[in-house]
């Protein structure tokens, strides 16, 4: 078996909806007695039959999270470098067909933005761009990393998928983690949602995380954009993908993110909205299946929901977020936002909230050898 796609195909044509219906409550009860879960057990915990066991799943998920991560939450913030994009993703405000203000940060703007974010004390940053290989080239991104590494110890990227060599170049320049969402694991739906641009290549994107692992990324995050397709399927393939990566690259910290669709520029409405309760089912099923996987809940979610879901398995949260290009330092940045954020708390407010819930906010859990940052 050479890549995840080959493994994915063995499940892709499986009658998933029918099998979800065939899971019984007694099957779920038996699975919850197990110490280690198989892929089929994970599948069963995403079924309608498991909905009656949510409290038990939440308790076990909480216990496993405390055992593996303590009461700590790693904080990071996104930094948008550019919203130029050549793709036509129907659900995204940066879609090339949308008439929005476009901006691309100059290197001096990158430095100003980094300085502004660094005042919050955060040490983990996630760099984002649209897919514009001329403006947001590997050389441009490398230079951005060299500028901001004075301020941050951990630099992640959430950009268009690269070849292994491209990822390796960025790792050599200081990038340590990769986030790459498949958006939807449904290959047929993927074609419809991506009517134009290089992102139409489903397989190239799907193999991006494994190329990132092969290139030496310290951490790799995968996930789907919940709301695009049946959430049970999407959650199942997210777990399958993360587990497959972790089994092949045990040295990489594989994590999952659970982003839900948010309002954005454009008319697209999700066909499969996922309720809070079902998001809890997804998160706890993932935790029981992969006890050591990082789980990220972003500011797409509201403050109250984030606080409530925190003890059930979350390990990483964004704070003080802006989805606008240069959103922390440019006066007119708001018109360049990718989507509306929901939890608008700044870093000190997030820190207070976490402490109030009995959790330790973590600014830094890693730094490159030789780095001199405090
Ligand atoms: S989701 Fe990404 S690739 Fe698609 S239009 Fe938005 S920024 Fe571009």
């Amino acid at each position: 078996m050479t890549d995840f796609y080959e493994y994915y195909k063995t499940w892709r044509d499986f009658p998933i909806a029918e099998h979800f219906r065939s899971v019984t409550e007694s099957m779920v009860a038996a699975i919850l007695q197990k110490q280690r879960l198989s892929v089929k057990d994970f599948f069963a915990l995403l079924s309608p039959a498991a909905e009656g066991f949510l409290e038990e799943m939440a308790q076990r998920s909480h216990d496993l999270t405390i055992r593996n991560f303590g009461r700590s939450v790693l904080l990071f913030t996104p930094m948008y470098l550019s919203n130029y994009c050549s793709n036509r993703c129907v659900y995204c405000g940066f879609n090339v067909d949308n008439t929005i203000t476009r901006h691309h940060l100059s290197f001096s703007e990158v430095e100003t933005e980094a300085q502004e974010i660094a005042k919050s004390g955060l040490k983990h940053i996630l760099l984002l761009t649209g897919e514009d290989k001329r403006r947001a080239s590997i050389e441009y991104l490398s230079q951005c990393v060299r500028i901001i590494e004075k301020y941050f110890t951990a630099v992640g990227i959430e950009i268009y998928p690269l070849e292994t060599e491209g990822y390796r170049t960025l790792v050599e320049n200081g990038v340590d983690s990769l986030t790459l969402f498949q958006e939807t694991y449904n290959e047929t739906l993927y074609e419809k949602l991506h009517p134009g641009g290089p992102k139409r290549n489903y397989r190239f994107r799907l193999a991006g995380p494994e190329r990132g692992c092969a290139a030496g990324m310290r951490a790799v995050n995968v996930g789907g954009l919940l709301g695009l397709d049946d959430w049970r399927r999407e959650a199942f393939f997210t777990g399958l993908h993360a587990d497959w990566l972790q089994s092949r690259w045990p040295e990489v910290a594989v994590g999952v993110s659970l982003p839900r669709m948010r309002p954005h520029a454009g008319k697209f409405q999700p066909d499969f909205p996922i309720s809070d309760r079902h998001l809890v089912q997804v998160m706890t099923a993932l935790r029981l299946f992969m006890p050591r996987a990082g789980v990220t809940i972003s500011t797409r979610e509201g403050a109250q929901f984030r606080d409530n879901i925190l003890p059930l398995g979350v390990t990483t949260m964004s704070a003080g977020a802006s989805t606008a290009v240069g959103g922390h330092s440019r006066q007119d940045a708001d018109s360049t936002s990718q989507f509306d954020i929901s939890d608008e708390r700044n870093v000190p407010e997030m820190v207070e909230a976490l402490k109030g819930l009995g959790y330790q906010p973590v600014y830094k859990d890693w730094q490159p050898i030789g780095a001199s940052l405090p």
Side-chain angles (χ1 to χ4, degrees):
M1 194 167 293
T2 52
D3 62 14
F4 176 66
Y5 185 71
E6 293 301 317
Y7 184 47
Y8 161 83
K9 275 199 305 187
T10 64
W11 289 92
R12 182 188 59 189
D13 303 325
F14 184 69
I16 282 182
E18 192 181 307
H19 276 75
F20 273 132
R21 284 195 296 274
S22 71
V23 177
T24 64
E25 292 192 353
S26 60
M27 287 162 71
V28 174
I31 290 166
L32 290 176
Q33 298 306 311
K34 293 186 178 182
Q35 291 301 315
R36 300 184 79 174
L37 270 54
S38 67
V39 167
K40 285 185 178 163
D41 294 335
F42 170 55
F43 180 89
L45 292 187
L46 293 167
S47 70
E51 289 179 24
F53 295 82
L54 265 196
E55 270 191 36
E56 204 174 330
M57 286 169 66
Q59 186 60 53
R60 280 204 54 189
S61 179
H62 170 74
D63 293 347
L64 281 170
T65 308
I66 296 287
R67 192 181 307 159
N68 286 293
F69 297 92
R71 287 182 185 273
S72 67
V73 176
L74 181 66
L75 295 176
F76 75 98
T77 209
M79 176 170 163
Y80 280 72
L81 299 173
S82 174
N83 64 356
Y84 284 91
C85 191
S86 52
N87 287 312
R88 297 201 149 79
C89 314
V90 299
Y91 49 81
C92 177
F94 289 174
N95 180 326
V96 65
D97 295 328
N98 284 343
T99 309
I100 59 166
T101 309
R102 306 271 171 183
H103 190 74
H104 173 79
L105 292 186
S106 67
F107 292 131
S108 69
E109 286 177 320
V110 168
E111 178 121 31
T112 306
E113 180 78 352
Q115 285 169 341
E116 206 50 49
I117 294 172
K119 287 178 187 167
S120 66
L122 292 179
K123 295 291 181 197
H124 283 238
I125 192 115
L126 179 65
L127 303 181
L128 294 97
T129 72
E131 183 155 7
D132 179 332
K133 295 190 178 90
R134 189 171 56 83
R135 290 185 183 84
S137 64
I138 294 172
E139 294 70 31
Y140 168 81
L141 291 161
S142 299
Q143 182 59 23
C144 289
V145 176
R146 286 193 288 271
I147 291 168
I148 67 171
E149 67 184 0
K150 297 196 284 288
Y151 307 99
F152 304 101
T153 53
V155 181
I157 50 167
E158 186 176 337
I159 62 169
Y160 53 91
L162 301 178
E163 297 284 1
T164 309
E165 209 40 55
Y167 285 133
R168 196 167 287 129
T169 300
L170 292 178
V171 168
E172 285 165 4
N173 279 286
V175 169
D176 69 281
S177 70
L178 167 68
T179 294
L180 186 59
F181 299 142
Q182 188 58 27
E183 318 295 14
T184 174
Y185 285 90
N186 180 333
E187 203 172 349
T188 310
L189 178 65
Y190 185 93
E191 271 192 26
K192 286 188 197 140
L193 298 176
H194 304 96
K199 193 169 172 179
R200 276 180 69 74
N201 190 336
Y202 176 91
R203 284 192 65 174
F204 186 68
R205 190 172 187 87
L206 190 70
E210 60 210 68
R211 291 193 299 272
C213 290
M217 291 284 176
R218 178 184 66 91
V220 170
N221 281 304
V222 296
L225 184 51
L226 297 173
L228 297 179
D229 194 15
D230 175 2
W231 62 266
R232 295 185 205 275
R233 274 183 60 100
E234 294 294 325
F236 175 64
F237 283 114
T238 298
L240 204 66
H241 198 178
D243 181 55
W244 186 89
L245 290 167
Q246 192 67 87
S247 65
R248 274 145 193 83
W249 285 277
E251 72 279 18
V252 177
V254 176
V256 295
S257 300
L258 302 172
R260 281 196 282 195
M261 283 285 308
R262 290 285 302 145
H264 60 94
K267 294 194 180 115
F268 179 80
Q269 290 298 324
D271 282 340
F272 300 90
I274 170 170
S275 68
D276 291 354
R277 196 171 159 76
H278 286 149
L279 189 59
V280 167
Q281 186 176 356
V282 169
M283 194 175 78
T284 55
L286 276 164
R287 170 59 68 233
L288 269 56
F289 179 47
M290 295 186 70
R292 296 178 61 79
V295 174
T296 302
I297 295 289
S298 77
T299 50
R300 285 172 178 267
E301 302 299 334
Q304 192 180 3
F305 181 70
R306 290 218 301 170
D307 288 355
N308 290 341
I309 203 171
L310 166 65
L312 307 185
V314 179
T315 62
T316 311
M317 283 180 156
S318 47
S322 165
T323 67
V325 181
H328 298 87
S329 57
R330 289 178 59 246
Q331 295 289 330
D332 56 348
D334 275 358
S335 58
T336 63
S337 295
Q338 187 181 31
F339 57 86
D340 299 342
I341 61 171
S342 191
D343 185 349
E344 297 187 337
R345 288 177 290 187
N346 61 25
V347 175
E349 287 166 342
M350 257 326 280
V351 166
E352 278 317 299
L354 290 173
K355 286 181 178 168
L357 292 165
Y359 279 76
Q360 180 188 2
V362 175
Y363 285 70
K364 181 172 81 166
D365 72 346
W366 183 82
Q367 104 172 17
I369 294 167
S372 55
L373 280 167

